[in-house]
């Protein structure tokens, strides 16, 4: 099977990191295609950029020529997932939701360690909307911006570990979710520094869940909330391409 | 003061109806400017269109030359409000949230009567995220599409009234919110048919709340969730124009 | 239009302060009438006094001769609002609920800064009952009694600001609600000391919301919870006057 | 021990019915004193009357000369309990809360059958505030007014049973709470008609819980929410008497 | 009446302590029978032991020859209560739930002080399932194991008091529940050290509630969740004995 | 990898059906071992049997000699999962929780179709405790007992489909979870009869999730709630075998 992993921002280096992780965890027989939107913000650290990115991601999907069996949306808590669910016939996994769901399989409660403090309410809202907040012990920011995560990998791990310790000690988290696609690849190091505490990477979780759903032949229900878009005129939309049915 | 009312879809006739209503309820001294995005779907009946529209609305805001003192976003439950709150220094009101808030001032619980059944989960999610779901008795669809609302105004009122009756009798709603910007102007007729039950129009509510906030000199907190977007490269973004700071 | 602002306690100096604020924020064409009950506690700092005051407020309403178009109940979290909604045909606004609602228009979450710590559970319960607790980051007491607020205005501001800082830093509040009618008039100073963070005064919010509702011709739903009192014998009730229908 | 049972309305016949029930369920060694306020509404069927009654009940307590070991407040969902908890040193039991608590000991979920439909939101709010709503399957009105309950006892039982059946069949209630002090004495008959389904009478439950608390020497915590009223001037209050400390 | 108090672990010394407390609080006319399972863990400090114990407790009940009128299950937050409710015709009280319910009669919110930190999530889950979590300010561990509670009674009280102080000061608890059957008998000392703050012992609470239910002739609803076990083959079950109907 | 699938009851025919399904969905390289307890009820239709079974399942685990990489517990909503998480070092999946989690990946809300109506509250409680109830549209019983499911497979499908239709039409479910291990193998037929609506089988979901967790090298957090059992004396326990450390 082929899984499309879509980095919601336009930083190709981040796409590469996410692809590496996805490939590392994919089962034999699963191939990973990773890409990013054709336009949009270099990183997403707020709602304005998130909404631009949501459209850019949907735009990318309407023009993506290769077939794929599942979509992994690699923005942690970014908007847009429901739109892709309407648009596509294949399963769609959001990495924030996948991380939370996998964490709930591993412990009584989980904490999220993310980038900037300003992302905290947005992530909480996404988990609330997804019905996954009840077992969330807390969401904590590290103060590192998305692109800063790459700058000094050693320092990044240190800060994540320190923040994760607070999640464990003050919030009672039993599992840590890495709350940014840009943290891909740090899971083992963070877990080791935390004495083996389970650490979940959303991209990894989503890839495995995508394999699970495809393996069972299941995809998004079109019964109500995620029914296909109705045919209608989308005037002047600067989509890079056109999906059938959009005039 | 000047209030910008932004119809999230590109159907100018709907913008006109919304403008008429907004002007009818505006206080002396308030002027209404109504517009729609420069591109995007003619109507919004799902998440895909909602996310496209969110970007189109933000795009419109970055290029809107005239000054304004508050923004009313006239999509009922559509995404994008948080992005505008980050982008702008003036207050931002969403009509779904404004309708719910006004309804909560008028009765113990409220019901929403909207267009298609598929919109119901989306509206509930928006109210949940806004912290306004606790007093919602239910959201019910009429089965009428957004653009159908205009077709036969008599029939539209009948269907809304019938659905509202179910909200009152089965769900215990004490106030009805008209759940679509395209229902602007029907408030009195629906209320009369329901024996004087309070009926709230989100555009009207949002205009009055905008006046209230501007009158008190209050605007969006920039302390955390809605801090201004950070300066960053937005490559290839097909924005109709550019706001300062976007390269 | 004429808005009646009812200070729930019998301290006329506090009524004057509340009236000054209400007049300062009222739109042209809105006149403010402020009064207090004819009997009852000089300040309200608990449930016992709150319940006495609720009856005194309802008593005052049954004997108030002048016409008015909306009622603002100026006790922060005090009981009685639902009774006034049954009794009156005009809209009724509670300042705790109005403050919370306005705060929700301004930020992702809000904090309340009130008087004594003992008031905290009572205010939380009022917000819970009103369906407005979901976005409340916390309620914090300053330790100042209601009448102490007037004693040393400089000191009062300092203590409110210090408590508000805790709400922002520890609870994540993005907007502060001043949690007592006796804090009327301090909004600008507190906001300035907090670096411009939005600060909401419940009296101001309620006056503007009352204008909004009256402007739209809306009032309390009588469909169920707030139907008019049924005619019945109220024996020996020491009401200062009698409303028609009470024998 | 002596338990004071306070009927919140001024209908002495209802007080008598409540006293009879309380005496019938009291343990040997427990004596019941039942009374009603010195003034106020003959029955309570809404918030306006409820708030008047709350003050009348507190007034009655300040002048009640005889000692008592616990207070049972016999209004189902009426306001005022917290005020009595501040005022008194002995335990205070509300019959709505006691009924719900006892019902939760008997089944997975409970339903409440009350008088008029307008009381439903008020009772739900009381249970919500008390933290007892999670296991409530629903609250249903019979359409019978408080004083109508007495008119035709046969008919009253029939209507209660029919409403209870709906609670069981549609809401999944496993236990029924009789939702009005005026239903005192009907428990066995309703239960029998429901095939032995447990039926809880709030007065009976509260009397037994009062015995339990007194038996253990426990009373209301004065640590925060229910600390004693602070000494202060209560001007012009038409209390029938004066408690020490009220000038 | 005769109340069976079942210590869920096999430590007879703990059974004796629980019996002493139960007898001390029982009303005249109530006799206490205390016992423990015939096999199982000496103490319960986790889910594995809790589930073994649940079966051992049910096993004990199937073979208990003497009649009894109510069952008190003396494990704080241990599983099994619902099974006993199905099996028995008499009321069943769990001490964690009874403690919480009694605490809710005494204050606005309550805290639980228990043994090891690992028990905290389990107790919270039990309260959540029972619908009693809304008024829980927090659950805190003392770090003392169940059997350590007996070792140095002076030290045990000190540690409980220190933990309870945190519950009051940091969590806002107004009432303290002693969160382990092994704390039986410490209530007065802890309360005194906390300045008279109400302290609830679950065994004491459950005994009094059992008396209340039996006094009113009420028992578990068999309508749905707790209907009697259906007749079926239980192969090879190493029950110490057999109840009628188990082949 | 090897996944142990544990049917909680002693009916070997049901184990066989579950094994067949598990094997059918397992990835290449995954082997399934299915077993049932050595003693206990032939089917589980209530809490009494559920608790007996929980101990029997834990007993089975302590004596299971073969190595395995993950455990799937094939009782829908049965107690015991947390005990296995403490006992084992490998991941543990409950089929009710896995079904709900997979359903949440596929639609906005899901419904559960189970056996007897009496199981409904138990399943809801399990989902509540697991933090998975927010997106549950409802749980509905078919009226078929666990062992009846096998009797007439045609009839079983019909009844499940009819009940699922109610879940879709009345509750708004967009995905259906088959709420009993005994429904293994019916997924495709039910889905087809529902027009292709996604139908989730908990055993299938849990097997795929087990593969996902093992694939990522993740297992249960031992940080708090699921720390290993403490060493202690388990006297007289009729365990079929003994795990190391149990004397």
């Amino acid at each position: 099977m082929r899984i499309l992993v879509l980095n919601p921002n336009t930083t190709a280096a981040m796409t590469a990191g996410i692809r590496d992780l996805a490939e590392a965890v994919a089962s034999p027989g699963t191939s990973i295609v990773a890409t990013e939107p054709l336009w949009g913000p270099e990183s997403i650290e707020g709602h304005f950029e998130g909404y631009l990115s949501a459209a850019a991601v949907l735009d990318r999907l309407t023009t993506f020529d290769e077939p794929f069996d599942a979509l992994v949306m690699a923005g942690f808590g970014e908007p847009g997932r429901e739109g892709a669910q309407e648009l596509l016939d294949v399963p769609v996994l959001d990495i924030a939701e996948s991380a939370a769901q996998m964490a709930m399989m591993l412990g009584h409660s989980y904490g999220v360690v993310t980038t900037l403090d300003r992302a905290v309410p947005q992530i909480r809202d996404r988990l609330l909307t997804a019905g996954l907040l009840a077992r969330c012990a807390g969401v904590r920011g590290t103060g590192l911006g998305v692109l800063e995560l790459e700058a000094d990998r050693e320092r990044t791990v240190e800060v994540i570990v320190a923040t994760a310790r607070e999640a464990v000690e003050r919030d009672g988290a039993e599992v840590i979710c890495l709350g940014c696609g840009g943290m891909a690849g740090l899971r083992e190091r963070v877990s080791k520094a935390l004495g083996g505490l389970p650490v979940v990477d959303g991209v990894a979780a989503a890839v495995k869940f995508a394999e699970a759903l495809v393996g069972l032949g299941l995809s998004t229900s079109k019964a109500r909330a995620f029914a296909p878009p109705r045919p209608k005129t989308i005037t002047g939309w600067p989509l890079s391409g056109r999906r059938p049915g959009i005039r």
Side-chain angles (χ1 to χ4, degrees), chain A:
Chain A
M1 83 183 68
R2 175 182 287 190
I3 298 174
L4 175 60
V5 181
L6 199 29
N7 173 22
N9 62 50
T10 54
T11 300
M14 194 181 296
T15 307
I18 290 170
R19 177 194 298 113
D20 288 351
L21 170 60
E23 286 180 342
V25 303
S27 297
T30 299
S31 66
I32 301 294
V33 184
T35 190
E36 64 273 330
L38 301 176
W39 41 263
E42 63 185 330
S43 67
I44 308 175
E45 293 167 327
H47 299 89
F48 173 71
E49 293 144 21
Y51 281 119
L52 297 195
S53 166
V57 160
L58 294 173
D59 171 61
R60 187 73 191 90
L61 290 173
T62 62
T63 59
F64 195 78
D65 289 343
E66 307 166 52
F68 53 95
D69 300 296
L71 172 67
V72 169
M73 300 179 75
F76 203 93
E78 304 309 334
R81 186 254 298 158
E82 303 94 332
Q85 284 178 298
E86 286 180 359
L87 196 62
L88 302 177
D89 290 327
V90 299
V92 176
L93 281 304
D94 168 277
I95 65 166
E97 295 166 7
S98 292
Q101 287 201 309
M102 188 165 276
M104 287 165 71
M105 297 172 188
L106 295 169
H108 187 273
S109 67
Y110 67 93
V112 177
V113 174
T114 189
T115 53
L116 302 177
D117 182 59
R118 68 181 290 165
V120 171
Q122 186 173 353
I123 290 172
R124 287 184 64 90
D125 281 354
R126 171 53 58 184
L127 295 171
L128 173 68
T129 304
L132 297 170
L133 197 59
R135 288 293 166 196
C136 179
V139 182
R140 286 178 176 265
T142 55
L144 296 174
V146 172
L147 300 183
E148 283 174 87
L149 294 170
E150 298 287 341
D152 177 347
R153 218 56 175 166
E154 209 62 44
R155 169 80 183 132
T156 295
V157 169
E158 271 171 34
V159 175
I160 291 173
V161 168
T163 310
R165 284 224 174 87
E166 290 184 1
V168 172
E169 286 160 21
R170 297 193 196 169
D171 304 337
E174 303 184 0
V175 181
I176 295 296
C177 295
L178 297 180
C180 179
M183 294 177 183
L186 303 181
R187 185 165 72 83
E188 282 82 359
R189 290 170 67 185
V190 174
S191 177
K192 191 174 170 192
L194 294 170
L197 194 87
V199 174
V200 176
D201 178 286
V203 173
V207 166
K208 301 313 279 184
F209 289 159
E211 290 180 345
L213 294 174
V214 174
L216 294 175
L218 285 165
S219 189
T220 304
S221 174
K222 299 290 179 175
R224 193 188 199 199
F226 308 129
R230 304 178 96 197
K232 69 183 52 171
T233 304
I234 301 186
T235 53
W237 167 242
L239 289 168
S240 308
R242 291 288 180 272
R243 69 179 175 93
I246 298 188
R247 282 167 291 167

